[in-house]
Amino acid sequence: MLALQGAFIEHVHILKRLPEVAEAILVRTQEQLESVDALIIPGGESTAMALIAERCGLFEPLRKFTRSKPTWGTCAGMILLANEASKTKKGGQQLLGGLDIAVNRNQFGSQVDSFETDLHMSAVLGESAPPFHAVFIRAPIVTALNSEDVQVLAKLEHQVGQTDTETIVAVRQGHLMATAFHPELTPDDRLHSYFVRLAQDYKGKSQDVVTMAN
Ligand code: GLN
C-alpha cells in the first residue's frame, strides 16, 4: 500500500481480511516498494501525493514499478495512473501514467458534493452478482480511452442537466486497474479480491499468496 498520503489504512484493513494476501506492507521507501508484488495507490490528493513522492525520491521508482507490476489506483490513485489529466486552476501536475486514459479531476464538485451509488460491474464481479456500492468523494471521471487495450469495468449512469449520461468510472489495462470511487470505504471486499487475483496471475502462480503494498 502506498502510504504517503490519503486513505491507505482503510485499504490495509480490507487486505488483512483476504486469505490470499501474505502481508500488507506500507510503502514509503524504494526498498519497501521493491519488496512487494503489487501496489495500491489510495485516494487522497493526487497533487500532494505526487509532490511527496518526488521529495522522498519515490516518484521515478513508482513510475518504473507501475510499468510492469500490478497496480490499482483508487480516486487520486486513478489520476496518478492516467496518461493525461485535466489541468486545475493551479496548472498541470506530475503523473505516473501508464493507463491510456484521460481523466477529469473533481468532476462532481467539492467534498460536499460527495455521493454514493450502486454500480453494475459484471466484468469484474460476474453477470448475476449484486451491484457494488460505490462512494465518490471529489472523484475524477474517465473522459477518453486512448487504447483498445483499456477495458471498461464500470459506468456511472447519471443526469447532466436533462440528459441521461453514462460516465466511465473504472477501467483495467493489463496489470493496471483504476477506480474513481473508494472501495475501501465499504465492507464489500470483492474489488480487493479481484485485484489480488490479478496480482496472482501476474506473479504466475495463481494459488500463491502475494505481498501487497498499500
Ligand atoms: N480530487 C482529488 C484529486 O484531485 C481526488 C479525491 C480523492 O481521492 N477522493 O487528487
Side-chain angles (χ1 to χ4, degrees):
M1 212 38 247
L2 186 64
L4 300 177
Q5 192 269 339
F8 52 85
I9 212 69
E10 292 81 356
H11 278 288
V12 173
H13 291 151
I14 296 193
L15 291 172
K16 285 193 167 161
R17 294 210 305 260
L18 301 180
E20 306 88 347
V21 178
E23 203 181 348
I25 293 174
L26 296 182
V27 166
R28 297 191 169 110
T29 65
Q30 186 171 350
E31 292 68 35
Q32 289 161 340
L33 183 63
E34 282 166 2
S35 74
V36 300
D37 299 314
L39 180 73
I40 300 178
I41 304 178
E45 177 53 56
S46 54
T47 318
M49 227 183 286
L51 280 174
I52 298 168
E54 269 182 18
R55 281 184 201 152
C56 312
L58 209 53
F59 196 84
E60 281 311 316
L62 277 170
R63 196 188 281 257
K64 200 170 148 218
F65 184 98
T66 56
R67 290 301 173 270
S68 61
K69 297 263 184 83
T71 306
W72 174 18
T74 58
C75 203
M78 170 188 253
I79 297 167
L80 288 170
L81 285 180
N83 280 346
E84 284 174 50
S86 57
K87 290 193 175 61
T88 63
K89 284 180 215 135
K90 290 181 190 155
Q93 70 183 97
Q94 280 270 67
L95 301 172
L96 296 169
L99 270 178
D100 282 317
I101 58 169
V103 298
N104 209 355
R105 292 179 63 188
N106 302 327
Q107 172 71 19
F108 304 102
S110 65
Q111 196 87 8
V112 290
D113 303 307
S114 301
F115 62 96
E116 300 183 18
T117 190
D118 283 346
L119 296 175
H120 294 282
M121 300 187 71
S122 53
V124 179
L125 306 173
E127 271 310 324
S128 52
F132 196 90
H133 191 69
V135 178
F136 288 82
I137 304 169
R138 292 192 305 119
I141 60 160
V142 178
T143 51
L145 303 177
N146 295 324
S147 161
E148 286 182 1
D149 298 336
V150 183
Q151 181 191 6
V152 174
L153 301 183
K155 284 182 183 166
L156 172 72
E157 289 164 21
H158 60 125
Q159 276 207 326
V160 178
Q162 299 298 314
T163 319
D164 288 329
T165 310
E166 278 194 333
T167 298
I168 298 167
V169 290
V171 293
R172 175 175 170 186
Q173 183 176 9
H175 64 287
L176 299 178
M177 172 170 146
T179 50
F181 51 93
H182 285 263
E184 78 286 7
L185 298 183
T186 58
D188 193 338
D189 59 20
R190 287 178 295 168
L191 284 186
H192 287 80
S193 289
Y194 175 84
F195 180 65
V196 170
R197 288 198 302 276
L198 185 162
Q200 287 171 327
D201 287 347
Y202 271 80
K203 212 183 166 196
K205 297 178 239 158
S206 63
Q207 294 310 308
D208 205 356
V209 288
V210 295
T211 307
M212 183 74 56
N214 264 276

